[in-house]
Amino acid sequence: MSSRTLPLLFINLGGEMLYILDQRLRAQNIPADKAKKVMNDIVTTMFNKKFLEELFKPQELYSKKALRTVFDRLAHASIMRLNQASMDKLYDLMTMAFKYQVLLCQRPKDILLVSFNHMDAIKDFVRDTPNILSQVDETYRQLIEMYTLLPAGEFQLIRQTLLIFFQDMHIRVSIFLKDKVQNSNGRFVLPTSGPVPYGTQTPGLIRMFTCNGEEVKRVQFRNGGNYTSALREGSFELFGDRVIKLGTNMYSISRPVETHMSGSLKNSAQHAKVNTAPNPLAKEELNLLAKLMGGMEVQKPGNPESGFRVNLFATDEEEEEALISRPAELSYEVINIQATKDKQANEELVRIMGEFTESEEPTPCSSSKGDDLLTMMDGL
């Protein structure tokens, strides 16, 4: 596995989250000033200097539960609140969209172009706020510095790491189902035609050479598809044409987006067993997670009435039904860890957790789970 995967995973998932939230804020007719504040606050938190310092350190990927915890805090970094079912749906949409993009990357390095498409969109969301723009530009600089000179083999490791992370996630998304790029079991349908990766030739020709490198024979064969050559490579500069469309906003055309669990997941949920065995690596991961989240400057609304709830479902009844029917294996809740048992050893962790809970009063529209990091870690 590659230790350089986490920043790309976080930026791409973050970009997808902003696409979805922007679409829902518009659909719910949230006032423009509140919608803008939500986007600005989330982007400010995403690109906080201390946060990025932890993010860009070479490290293994966090577990799905830990990463979900980070995005739960990120989604609530402003005055917006999501109930648990809507947060589940948001995270499902984010992860399935990026999984599809990783699968469609024709060459491993294209993952960086997908990341730049997300960065370009994030920059556009905060284009009227210069101080946040400077944070985004600094992240561009770090991405260019860290990734553009990596060899193809390292990008292949990054792609494999991402695919391993996503391999058990098969949530059906209505847009993908309607476009026939996803089967009813939640698995994606990959195309067998179209442009070939930049720097490669269209299949259909076998050339034979002598030991001296002289071509002596050519044999044509049917390639079974309709292939075209890539015209040019996407730009890896701060400003430029990325060429590929992966990572751009698929919600720009207004249409409802729903997620559905595959039948196998629903059936297996009835027989799911709770694993109460403690994970020996959980405490170490929790400390790493706390360091990462310690850079998050979560905004706490002073006036509870200034906050508002966003529902990713058509009605509150649908949201409640989704929460009840969600299979246990898709729960992102964190396993039980006695993080406060040894106060001296966990002093830093407790301090960071305290920053999230101190003087924080729940709003009427906030979720009962997920708003308090300490409760998320110890209450499960």
Side-chain angles (χ1 to χ4, degrees), residues 44-78:
T44 298
T45 305
M46 281 183 64
F47 297 103
N48 176 273
K49 183 178 179 180
K50 292 182 180 179
F51 183 82
L52 289 176
E53 286 176 358
E54 293 296 332
L55 190 71
F56 275 86
K57 290 178 181 178
Q59 58 193 295
E60 298 300 323
L61 282 185
Y62 295 117
S63 68
K64 294 181 179 68
K65 293 178 181 179
L67 195 67
R68 162 62 193 268
T69 301
V70 172
F71 278 100
D72 190 287
R73 299 302 299 180
L74 186 59
H76 293 90
S78 188

Side-chain angles (χ1 to χ4, degrees), residues 254-299:
S254 179
R255 48 181 173 171
V257 185
E258 298 296 335
T259 56
H260 312 275
M261 293 166 291
S262 63
S264 59
L265 285 176
K266 286 184 177 180
N267 293 333
S268 62
Q270 300 175 0
H271 307 285
K273 296 181 179 180
V274 178
N275 181 13
T276 58
N279 183 346
L281 299 179
K283 183 176 179 181
E284 180 181 355
E285 182 182 56
L286 182 57
N287 280 286
L288 290 172
L289 176 61
K291 287 181 65 179
L292 180 63
M293 296 178 69
M296 282 188 173
E297 297 179 355
V298 179
Q299 301 294 321

